[in-house]
């Protein structure tokens, strides 16, 4: 993540797969503290990182200076059995309210108000553009924990290919975000191929690509 923040050409869409109890959610929480607003919580996270890897801590400090030392908009949610757009929009709303402090304050920023009022019928391009507008305010961290639930929903319901296309669209665009960086992190228990195992061979190949 630090390397991605410091290099505009690096991949900023990261997927972490691991079994239950391996520390995925703890990692996401730690990352959110490190990229959050200055304060005692971030100071404690910094101290923990420094004790483990002083060099990485220095690199993180430089990355924060480059991307906005005031802190990221932290869009962190636990996914449910629902379409990806639904989870993403919920994540953005969490980020808006956390960053602004209240809905009243959030509505004073037009793009934040747009997020709060958006419907679930957003296309992949519209969601990408919404996150693009979002990133003009501050750098953005999007964490979709338990993302496997989205994949299970997609497979079990025969969901539209457009539902997962939104994630691909954001992942490909995130690496080119210029004004402020956007980092997308998904956490799941199984690999994408394992979730797609019950899908048709054609769909499984498409998911792998």
């Amino acid at each position: 993540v630090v390397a991605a923040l410091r290099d505009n050409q690096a991949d900023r869409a990261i997927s972490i797969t691991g079994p239950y109890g391996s520390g995925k959610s703890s990692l996401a929480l730690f990352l959110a503290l490190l990229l959050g607003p200055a304060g005692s919580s971030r100071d404690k996270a910094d101290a923990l990182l420094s004790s483990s890897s002083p060099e990485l801590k220095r690199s993180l400090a430089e990355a924060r200076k480059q991307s906005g030392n005031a802190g990221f908009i932290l869009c962190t949610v636990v996914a449910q059995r629902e379409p990806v757009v639904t989870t993403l929009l919920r994540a953005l709303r969490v980020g808006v309210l956390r960053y602004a402090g209240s809905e009243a304050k959030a509505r004073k920023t037009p793009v934040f108000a747009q997020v709060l009022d958006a419907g679930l019928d957003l296309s992949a391009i519209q969601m990408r553009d919404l996150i693009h507008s979002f990133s003009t305010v501050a750098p953005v961290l999007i964490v979709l924990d338990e993302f496997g639930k989205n994949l299970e929903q997609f497979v079990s319901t025969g969901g539209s290919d457009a539902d997962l296309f939104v994630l691909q669209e954001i992942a490909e665009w995130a690496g080119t975000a210029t004004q402020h960086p956007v980092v997308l992190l998904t956490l799941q228990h199984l690999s994408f191929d394992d979730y797609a195992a019950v899908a048709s061979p054609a769909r499984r190949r498409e998911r792998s690509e």
Side-chain angles (χ1 to χ4, degrees):
V1 171
V2 172
L5 292 176
R6 300 191 66 182
D7 182 359
N8 289 333
Q9 303 303 314
D11 191 349
R12 290 176 176 162
I14 301 169
S15 178
I16 297 178
T17 300
Y20 288 97
S22 58
K24 299 185 301 298
S25 297
S26 296
L27 171 63
L29 175 60
F30 186 51
L31 182 61
L33 291 174
L34 290 170
L35 297 181
S40 60
S41 294
R42 191 171 85 177
D43 289 345
K44 291 177 181 177
D46 280 348
L48 183 60
L49 179 61
S50 183
S51 67
S52 175
S53 177
E55 182 177 351
L56 182 56
K57 169 58 179 62
R58 287 191 292 271
S59 295
L60 173 63
E62 289 299 319
R64 286 197 299 225
K65 287 180 182 178
Q66 290 177 212
S67 57
N69 204 43
F72 280 52
I73 302 174
L74 303 175
C75 307
T76 59
V77 294
V78 177
Q80 301 174 8
R81 284 180 171 265
E82 60 192 5
V84 176
V85 168
T86 302
T87 304
L88 280 170
L89 191 54
R90 188 156 49 86
L92 296 186
R93 287 170 174 163
V94 167
V96 162
L97 297 177
R98 180 182 289 166
Y99 190 82
S102 69
E103 182 173 344
K105 290 180 180 179
R107 290 193 175 278
K108 294 179 181 179
T109 302
V111 67
F112 285 176
Q114 186 180 357
V115 168
L116 294 174
D117 294 334
L120 296 177
D121 57 346
L122 292 174
S123 68
I125 303 300
Q126 288 172 324
M127 176 61 77
R128 181 203 65 191
D129 290 345
L130 185 61
I131 296 175
H132 180 272
S133 299
F134 213 53
S135 68
T136 64
V137 178
V140 181
L141 172 67
I142 302 174
V143 177
L144 307 182
D145 198 1
E146 298 285 355
F147 181 65
K149 292 181 179 178
N150 292 115
L151 300 176
E152 290 170 359
Q153 168 76 6
F154 174 79
V155 171
S156 65
T157 63
S160 167
D161 289 340
D163 185 45
L164 291 188
F165 174 68
V166 65
L167 202 68
Q168 178 183 347
E169 188 71 20
I170 294 167
E172 292 178 351
W173 164 80
T176 65
T178 53
Q179 186 162 354
H180 292 108
V182 174
V183 176
L184 172 65
L185 179 66
T186 67
L187 311 171
Q188 55 279 323
H189 300 300
L190 303 174
S191 70
F192 280 41
D193 280 346
D194 288 336
Y195 285 110
V198 297
S200 70
R203 279 201 157 193
R204 187 161 59 250
R205 283 195 301 272
E206 183 173 346
R207 294 290 73 75
S208 298
E209 294 170 0

